[in-house]
Amino acid sequence: MKKIVVSVKNNLLAESITKILADSGVFNPFRVSVHRKNKDTAKQCEALQTELLLAEVSYSPGTTVDTRLEEAAELRRILPGCLIVFLCDENSAPDIAKDVMLAKKDGKIDAFFYTSVTQNYLLAALEAL
C-alpha cells in the first residue's frame, strides 16, 4: 500500500478524504495537522517515509500558495522521491487555482486536483501517479 500524507485544514474534507483513501485498499493514509510553520509537513512526511503528499491550498494560514510551495521545496530537498499533489477549490478561489496550475507547469509540484472532482476520479488519479 502507498503511504500518503493528507494535509487538509478543513476537518470534514480531511476526514472524508482520509476515509476514502483508507477504504480503497491501495493507500495507507496519515492525516497531519496544518501548521503555520512550513517545515512541519515536510518533516512529518520524512518521518513517515511517505510516497505522496496531498496538501490543500487555500487562503487559510498554513495553507496559502506561498506556504505550500515552501513546504514542497523543503520536501523535495529532504525526501525527493515523494510526490507532491495540491488540492484547491477552483470555484471559490480561481486565483489560487491559477497559481497551483502554474506551480505544476513550473515543475514545483507533481499534480493538482480541484475539490470538485469525484472521489472515484481522485482515487484513480492518485493511484496512477
Side-chain angles (χ1 to χ4, degrees):
M1 291 208 304
K2 292 182 182 179
K3 289 181 185 178
I4 181 170
V5 164
V6 178
S7 180
V8 174
K9 191 167 191 169
N10 178 301
N11 286 329
L12 182 60
L13 182 59
E15 288 175 18
S16 297
I17 290 172
T18 301
K19 182 173 178 3
I20 290 165
L21 292 168
D23 291 348
S24 74
V26 176
F27 296 99
N28 185 10
F30 299 91
R31 183 170 173 213
V32 299
S33 298
V34 175
H35 298 285
R36 291 175 191 258
K37 293 190 281 184
N38 63 347
K39 295 187 180 178
D40 289 345
T41 301
K43 287 179 182 176
Q44 290 173 327
C45 288
E46 180 184 32
L48 294 166
Q49 288 298 293
T50 189
E51 298 166 68
L52 200 149
L53 167 66
L54 180 62
E56 173 189 27
V57 181
S58 71
Y59 296 114
S60 297
T63 68
T64 64
V65 173
D66 290 340
T67 299
R68 291 303 195 179
L69 288 174
E70 289 173 17
E71 286 176 340
E74 177 69 6
L75 185 55
R76 288 255 196 256
R77 188 184 71 71
I78 63 175
L79 196 62
C82 183
L83 298 174
I84 301 165
V85 179
F86 283 175
L87 185 66
C88 64
D89 185 336
E90 79 281 14
N91 294 314
S92 67
D95 55 326
I96 289 175
K98 182 175 181 179
D99 289 342
V100 166
M101 181 272 301
L102 292 172
K104 166 59 177 133
K105 186 176 177 183
D106 294 341
K108 295 176 181 176
I109 62 173
D110 298 294
F112 70 93
F113 299 103
Y114 297 140
T115 55
S116 61
V117 300
T118 66
Q119 71 181 33
N120 289 336
Y121 179 82
L122 181 62
L123 279 174
L126 288 172
E127 190 174 344
L129 290 175

